[in-house]
Amino acid sequence: METYEQVEILLVEDNSTDAEMTLRALRRNNLANKVHWVKDGEQALEFMFRTGAYASRDPAAVPKLIMLDIKMPKVDGIEVLRRIKADERTRKVPVVVMTSSNEERDVVESYRLGVNSYIVKPVQFESFLETVAKIGLYWVITNRVPR
């Protein structure tokens, strides 16, 4: 049985290349061992609300950050954000949208629903790594959230 007590970042990303680059950037800053990667919105909701494969996850083990893609199969990132921010148990968890979508309606809707930051994924490899590293360090190490 897998343990999730040490998860500090929930990475919600369906693109394996982007996920691997994200993990690589976090690894450079010693944060990758505390990341749990799910590949669609349905798995993200199961993880956060302790259902399905994650039903036995400790309710006290809440990630410090959710890195969320918008365009995903099964349940899209906007719906994941809506459900997380609507629930008292999960609304305080910071959510950073990291997506290739630069569409104004996605930005507006994300902020309306309570996203903490909206970042368009840089196309250049080094810029991508640098951006992810900054996100991880800020939200996991520097930022303080209410308990």
Side-chain angles (χ1 to χ4, degrees):
M1 184 169 121
E2 202 168 346
T3 180
Y4 302 101
E5 286 78 22
Q6 296 299 313
V7 171
E8 293 192 355
I9 300 172
L10 177 62
L11 175 60
V12 187
E13 174 61 69
D14 66 317
N15 181 307
S16 60
T17 301
D18 287 355
E20 290 302 324
M21 284 196 315
T22 300
L23 291 169
R24 180 177 176 175
L26 295 171
R27 202 173 293 118
R28 284 185 176 179
N29 292 282
N30 299 315
L31 294 170
N33 61 330
K34 298 178 181 180
V35 177
H36 183 71
W37 172 31
V38 295
K39 297 173 180 79
D40 61 53
E42 182 178 86
Q43 289 178 348
L45 292 170
E46 286 180 358
F47 184 90
M48 290 304 296
F49 295 110
R50 298 178 328 275
T51 60
Y54 302 102
S56 63
R57 189 175 68 77
D58 179 359
V62 178
K64 289 185 175 183
L65 173 66
I66 300 169
M67 296 176 79
L68 178 65
D69 190 11
I70 293 277
K71 308 293 186 198
M72 290 185 302
K74 296 186 181 179
V75 179
D76 73 4
I78 295 290
E79 183 59 26
V80 171
L81 178 62
R82 177 179 288 113
R83 292 188 199 175
I84 287 170
K85 292 300 184 178
D87 193 290
E88 185 63 36
R89 299 169 294 173
T90 55
R91 79 167 37 120
K92 293 177 187 172
V93 178
V95 177
V96 173
V97 165
M98 266 197 60
T99 184
S100 54
S101 173
N102 199 15
E103 296 176 31
E104 188 65 17
R105 68 170 188 249
D106 289 339
V107 176
V108 169
E109 184 65 3
S110 294
Y111 276 104
R112 189 187 73 73
L113 292 171
V115 76
N116 297 88
S117 186
Y118 190 103
I119 297 169
V120 177
K121 294 175 189 173
V123 177
Q124 301 289 36
F125 179 73
E126 283 303 319
S127 295
F128 185 98
L129 294 180
E130 184 179 328
T131 298
V132 169
K134 287 177 181 176
I135 292 167
L137 289 171
Y138 175 77
W139 288 103
V140 175
I141 306 296
T142 307
N143 187 55
R144 183 178 179 275
V145 295
R147 296 273 174 210

